[in-house]
Amino acid sequence: MEIYEELKKRGLIAQFTDEKEIKDLINGGGARFYIGFDPTADSLHVGHFMALCLMKRLQMAGNKPVVLLGGGTGYIGDPTGRTDMRSMLTPEVIQHNCDCFKKQMERFIEFGEDKAIIVNNADWLLDLNYIELLREVGACFTVNNMLRAECYKQRMEKGLSFLEFNYMIMQAYDFWYLSEKYGCNMQFGGDDQWSNMLAGTELIRKKSGKDAYAMTITLLLNSEGKKMGKTAKGAVWLDENKTSPYDFYQYWRNVDDADVMKCIKMLTFISVEQIEEMEKWDASRINEKKEILAFELTKLVHGEEKASKAQAMAKAAFGGGGELPEKVVSVENPTIVNVLVAAGICASNGEARRLIQQGGVSLNDDKITDINAPVRNGDVIHKGKKVHVKISLK
């Protein structure tokens, strides 16, 4: 099966500008494509995960990825999907975040001569002459078309800053620059980026007369309300210091039943033929599918050894023997509320108290009702049916 057909079977493709040309380029290994990543934090999260997997798939099929770090656009901030303005990051923070992204991406993408390249749009955006940009690029855009873009509509009621209004032009300029400098002929992104991507495609065609193509992927982690990029405690990170391999495993182990096969198709490298066989499995095997999903993705991000350990911990937590995940906590007064917060199981004392009062916490084998119940070294805290942690008091 050729790569374009595989992407369609996996449910990844949402929309495109020129299907035949894109199909021929991708299947023939002729796509020099880019995906952009704005450095809004010091770690990639699962919202970036599908894009990384897509780049890996296309590279394996002979296409050349261009990873674009948004060291320049990060000064502005993408208004897409926002109801308020992003916090302004300092140049030092932006550079640090870019450095962190690069290290994490090397686990997925093969960089080097005639392979993938990584570039930073700070290298060209920060040196732009404003008047020259207005004349050379601004003249190619109409305000009417820009205001119709979905990425701006959500901001119009509360107020769209002129700073953010320029984001579409900056992203379009990126594609034009990458086309001129690196021969980039295609861009990929989530379908919430479609307006910005079309702007770049049209800019290249107007200014350079070149063929340029855009394709969006159906980002399960983005377009569906980013529902799978968040947990009650925040984002699920690819950095194990922010989200441990065990928590990462558990996150995927606990996805909704309806999303399991979609995630397996879109994110794992299990063959399409194997996936089609899994789709025939009886509904009683749903947990087996979840375990496969969790293991495969944890292995991809953290390596097979850590994935195996996370799986063993998860089975131990549900009575299968083995070693439970352990949290080392340091608190002067180790009551159940204080330990729940110190261990990161609850975000605040208030949340911990409410959870206890609602019957959602057990200590070892006993349901806890007293918010001042003491916790001893080696005790196991159970939060609901999914979180099981052995406590080590420091």
Side-chain angles (χ1 to χ4, degrees), residues 68-324:
L68 177 63
L69 297 178
T73 42
Y75 279 70
I76 297 175
D78 186 356
T80 303
R82 304 282 298 187
T83 58
D84 57 355
M85 187 171 168
R86 292 182 185 274
S87 299
M88 300 280 278
L89 302 177
T90 66
E92 294 77 17
V93 169
I94 290 172
Q95 184 58 53
H96 172 70
N97 293 349
C98 284
D99 293 341
C100 293
F101 276 24
K102 184 177 179 181
K103 288 179 183 177
Q104 292 179 332
M105 287 171 174
E106 288 171 349
R107 303 179 202 162
F108 297 88
I109 312 301
E110 191 174 358
F111 295 98
E113 189 176 348
D114 200 36
K115 294 176 182 174
I117 62 170
I118 188 164
V119 295
N120 188 328
N121 62 18
D123 294 341
W124 56 87
L125 293 182
L126 297 189
D127 293 330
L128 282 175
N129 178 292
Y130 185 60
I131 298 300
E132 182 181 358
L133 178 69
L134 289 178
R135 288 175 60 88
E136 295 298 319
V137 180
C140 298
F141 292 82
T142 68
V143 172
N144 288 352
N145 283 339
M146 292 176 72
L147 290 177
R148 280 195 289 269
E150 198 63 38
C151 60
Y152 291 142
K153 286 181 180 178
Q154 297 182 55
R155 295 300 311 281
M156 294 303 290
E157 285 188 19
K158 289 192 174 182
L160 175 70
S161 72
F162 184 69
L163 175 74
E164 296 169 292
F165 188 59
N166 282 269
Y167 192 90
M168 180 185 288
I169 295 176
M170 295 294 97
Q171 185 168 329
Y173 187 89
D174 281 342
F175 193 14
W176 177 79
Y177 184 91
L178 293 172
S179 171
E180 295 292 301
K181 179 81 172 178
Y182 299 105
C184 199
N185 54 21
M186 195 177 300
Q187 58 180 327
F188 282 82
D191 54 17
D192 58 347
Q193 289 286 315
W194 187 237
S195 298
N196 292 346
M197 294 167 67
L198 285 180
T201 300
E202 291 304 311
L203 180 62
I204 292 174
R205 291 175 176 176
K206 287 178 181 178
K207 285 190 63 65
S208 305
K210 295 180 181 177
D211 287 328
Y213 308 106
M215 182 190 293
T216 64
I217 51 178
T218 303
L219 280 177
L220 181 66
L221 311 178
N222 191 342
S223 304
E224 296 185 10
K226 297 187 179 179
K227 66 180 181 180
M228 299 192 68
K230 300 288 183 181
T231 66
K233 295 186 290 182
V236 177
W237 305 100
L238 305 193
D239 182 344
E240 66 179 274
N241 295 314
K242 297 168 85 69
T243 299
S244 71
Y246 171 77
D247 290 335
F248 189 83
Y249 178 95
Q250 283 294 87
Y251 171 75
W252 296 107
R253 173 64 181 77
N254 293 320
V255 297
D256 291 342
D257 291 0
D259 291 328
V260 175
M261 288 310 302
K262 285 192 288 185
C263 291
I264 288 175
K265 287 179 183 178
M266 292 179 173
L267 298 173
T268 76
F269 285 79
I270 297 171
S271 71
V272 171
E273 291 76 18
Q274 287 178 282
I275 290 172
E276 288 174 346
E277 285 300 313
M278 291 175 68
E279 288 182 314
K280 299 174 185 176
W281 290 3
D282 186 84
S284 63
R285 299 179 69 181
I286 186 64
N287 286 329
E288 187 177 346
K289 291 179 182 178
K290 290 185 178 185
E291 287 174 359
I292 291 171
L293 171 67
F295 180 81
E296 289 296 321
L297 298 190
T298 307
K299 180 175 71 173
L300 187 60
V301 173
H302 297 294
E304 187 164 4
E305 183 179 347
K306 291 178 181 178
S308 296
K309 186 175 181 181
Q311 187 174 61
M313 287 180 174
K315 289 183 177 179
F318 289 92
E323 181 184 359
L324 281 168

